[in-house]
Amino acid sequence: MNTHISSQFDAELQSIRAQLTHMGGLVEDQLAASLKALSTKDISDVERIIKGDREVDALEVAIDDACVHVIAKRQPTAIDLRLVMAIVKVVKDLERIGDEAKKIAKTVRKIHERGVASPMLNEVDLAHLGDMVLPAVHAVLDAFVRSDAQAAADLVRQDRAIDMQFRAAVRQLVTFMMEDARTITNSLDLIFVAKSIERIGDHVKNIAEYVIYIAEGTDVRHGGIKLDIEDETEI
Amino acid sequence: MNTHISSQFDAELQSIRAQLTHMGGLVEDQLAASLKALSTKDISDVERIIKGDREVDALEVAIDDACVHVIAKRQPTAIDLRLVMAIVKVVKDLERIGDEAKKIAKTVRKIHERGVASPMLNEVDLAHLGDMVLPAVHAVLDAFVRSDAQAAADLVRQDRAIDMQFRAAVRQLVTFMMEDARTITNSLDLIFVAKSIERIGDHVKNIAEYVIYIAEGTDVRHGGIKLDIEDETEI
């Protein structure tokens, strides 16, 4: 690739990165708002969160299109191509985090409308779970922007702690269900919320894996790094 | 693109398509086996299903790599590039269908090991749900291979029926939970199985949307088709 084309590619990539950062910030805000609605039981933001997801979806399409265009026009190869391909995937995971945030907001509203709040369901474990995942979403986007494989590896490992916390939350909610059948409907909804948060953790792990892949890929171009990463995270 | 490069591209694309068809067949087999284990309560295939998921994962990596290579080497543009990008995405959705099949198999084994089978839990609705989703996985891969936008559009619409069936299954299982607290643990596991099947329906819908995008894209190159599709399926 000559310098001229390379600098055009860099400029376009910079613009895509800016859009990605914007999208990441938006998804973070959506998730923070839905977790706040969950813990405060205040549903005043729910409608705004549901509408906000459309902007996330539109950004997914826009960034995806921008990536296809930059590949078609600038024909990047090697690490540049892999970076653009990784952005396409990151954007998909971000869009799904946005979807889960919307689902959480809708479920909070459903529980609120049902109007049979139980003091038993204090959602302590879901707050813990949310407190683990929200900073992880921020951290993984930060790791992506800085190509920080070390931070990304920490986030991959952290997913197990999130899974454990998820299972603890489910166990607690099952106990509530068994002790008082009247809590079953709300408990099940909270289990779905916990599942959404756990899924967000999975998406963070996916993004973290792309970061590692790109960062390591710069040093080991033909090393089959991807298979190694897959193996490691398969456990 | 000159004829020489174009025919090389076509040959490589053909090879990628063959790998994709192989992966699709494997995922279908995995899902069929896990649904069979669910309905027969026979766990003899569970270990094989869990191991089989590694081959699915390896195929994801291999096809993904082949797509990146063909883009780097042949530098396809326009519809050819979009087709390769769609394959990258289809492969991700297929890999996730494989993951859900594995999860279903593991849950069937967990219920079996718990050993407290309840005659109440005859899983009628889950069989229905499985019967809707398994042919849909086959049909969407077929639609992809044939670039059949009409069949894909039917599959997008069908996802709502799957979602309704999922909700019906959850309601039935909640009724069991309320009537007999001893069924709560198994019922909850079956709700997670139902959720997995519903997710598989979502992945089928995603793949169907790529088929429509590519098929329509051949006629409407600069028409912003993707946004239209996103809007339609947002409802």
Side-chain angles (χ1 to χ4, degrees), chain B residues 6-7 27 31 62 70 82 92 99 118 123-124 143 154 156 169 172 184 194 196 199 203 208 220 234-235:
Chain B
S6 176
S7 72
V27 167
L31 179 59
V70 84
R82 286 181 185 268
K92 190 81 222 160
D99 272 353
S118 158
E123 298 139 41
V124 168
D154 290 345
V156 169
Q172 189 186 20
I184 286 177
S196 281
R199 288 251 166 204
H203 291 298
V220 196
E234 178 61 40
I235 302 155

Side-chain angles (χ1 to χ4, degrees), chain B residues 33-66:
Chain B
S34 70
L35 291 174
K36 184 160 165 259
L38 176 68
S39 63
T40 61
K41 297 167 192 76
D42 175 355
I43 61 157
S44 58
D45 275 346
V46 168
E47 209 48 49
R48 193 181 56 76
I49 295 167
I50 294 169
K51 282 192 182 133
D53 193 50
R54 286 186 212 159
E55 192 180 342
V56 174
D57 287 349
L59 277 166
E60 181 209 357
V61 175
I63 299 173
D64 201 75
D65 276 352

Side-chain angles (χ1 to χ4, degrees), chain A:
Chain A
M1 197 184 278
N2 68 46
T3 323
H4 183 57
I5 287 183
S6 175
S7 74
Q8 284 171 322
F9 172 78
D10 286 345
E12 283 167 30
L13 188 65
Q14 201 52 44
S15 152
I16 290 172
R17 275 177 183 279
Q19 279 181 288
L20 186 69
T21 303
H22 175 54
M23 183 182 179
L26 198 63
V27 168
E28 244 187 279
D29 289 349
Q30 292 275 101
L31 178 59
S34 71
L35 291 173
K36 186 160 164 259
L38 176 69
S39 63
T40 61
K41 297 167 193 75
D42 176 355
I43 62 157
S44 57
D45 275 345
V46 168
E47 210 47 50
R48 192 180 58 73
I49 295 166
I50 293 170
K51 282 193 183 132
D53 193 50
R54 286 186 213 160
E55 193 180 340
V56 173
D57 287 349
L59 277 165
E60 182 208 357
V61 175
I63 298 172
D64 201 74
D65 276 351
C67 287
V68 175
H69 278 121
V70 84
I71 293 173
K73 260 171 76 182
R74 306 295 167 211
Q75 307 191 325
T77 55
I79 192 67
D80 289 332
L81 177 57
R82 286 182 183 265
L83 179 59
V84 178
M85 298 298 278
I87 291 173
V88 169
K89 289 176 182 177
V90 167
V91 157
K92 190 81 223 161
D93 281 300
L94 274 181
E95 186 265 334
R96 296 214 171 135
I97 294 174
D99 271 353
E100 299 296 347
K102 184 171 78 170
K103 271 190 218 167
I104 293 169
K106 282 183 171 177
T107 306
V108 169
R109 185 171 63 184
K110 202 163 77 177
I111 293 172
H112 185 268
E113 284 171 355
R114 205 174 280 136
V116 281
S118 157
M120 220 180 189
L121 301 175
N122 52 15
E123 298 140 41
V124 168
D125 276 326
L126 295 194
H128 274 195
L129 201 53
D131 287 347
M132 293 174 84
V133 167
L134 185 59
V137 171
H138 183 87
V140 83
L141 290 169
D142 194 48
F144 189 83
V145 169
R146 291 184 294 106
S147 292
D148 185 342
Q150 189 54 55
D154 290 345
L155 286 162
V156 168
R157 275 187 289 274
Q158 202 199 317
D159 189 50
R160 289 187 203 180
I162 292 169
D163 287 349
M164 278 176 64
Q165 189 66 39
F166 163 69
R167 284 193 287 273
V170 170
R171 275 195 301 274
Q172 188 186 21
L173 286 160
V174 166
T175 307
F176 292 165
M177 287 172 156
M178 286 179 168
E179 284 175 10
D180 183 355
R182 288 167 300 175
T183 70
I184 286 177
T185 313
N186 280 346
S187 291
L188 183 59
D189 276 332
L190 290 175
I191 286 173
F192 281 133
V193 168
K195 187 83 191 150
S196 282
I197 301 176
E198 185 260 341
R199 287 251 167 206
I200 293 172
D202 287 343
H203 291 298
V204 167
K205 195 180 90 169
N206 290 344
I207 298 174
E209 285 172 8
Y210 306 140
V211 174
I212 297 170
Y213 176 47
I214 294 170
E216 307 275 307
T218 51
D219 297 322
V220 195
R221 297 258 170 134
H222 309 284
I225 279 293
K226 186 151 192 183
L227 261 172
D228 292 348
I229 292 169
E230 290 282 325
D231 285 349
E232 188 192 306
T233 56
E234 180 61 38
I235 303 155

Side-chain angles (χ1 to χ4, degrees), chain B residues 102-119:
Chain B
K102 185 173 76 171
K103 272 189 217 167
I104 292 169
K106 282 182 170 178
T107 305
V108 169
R109 186 171 62 185
K110 203 164 75 177
I111 293 172
H112 186 269
E113 284 170 354
R114 206 175 278 135
V116 281
S118 158

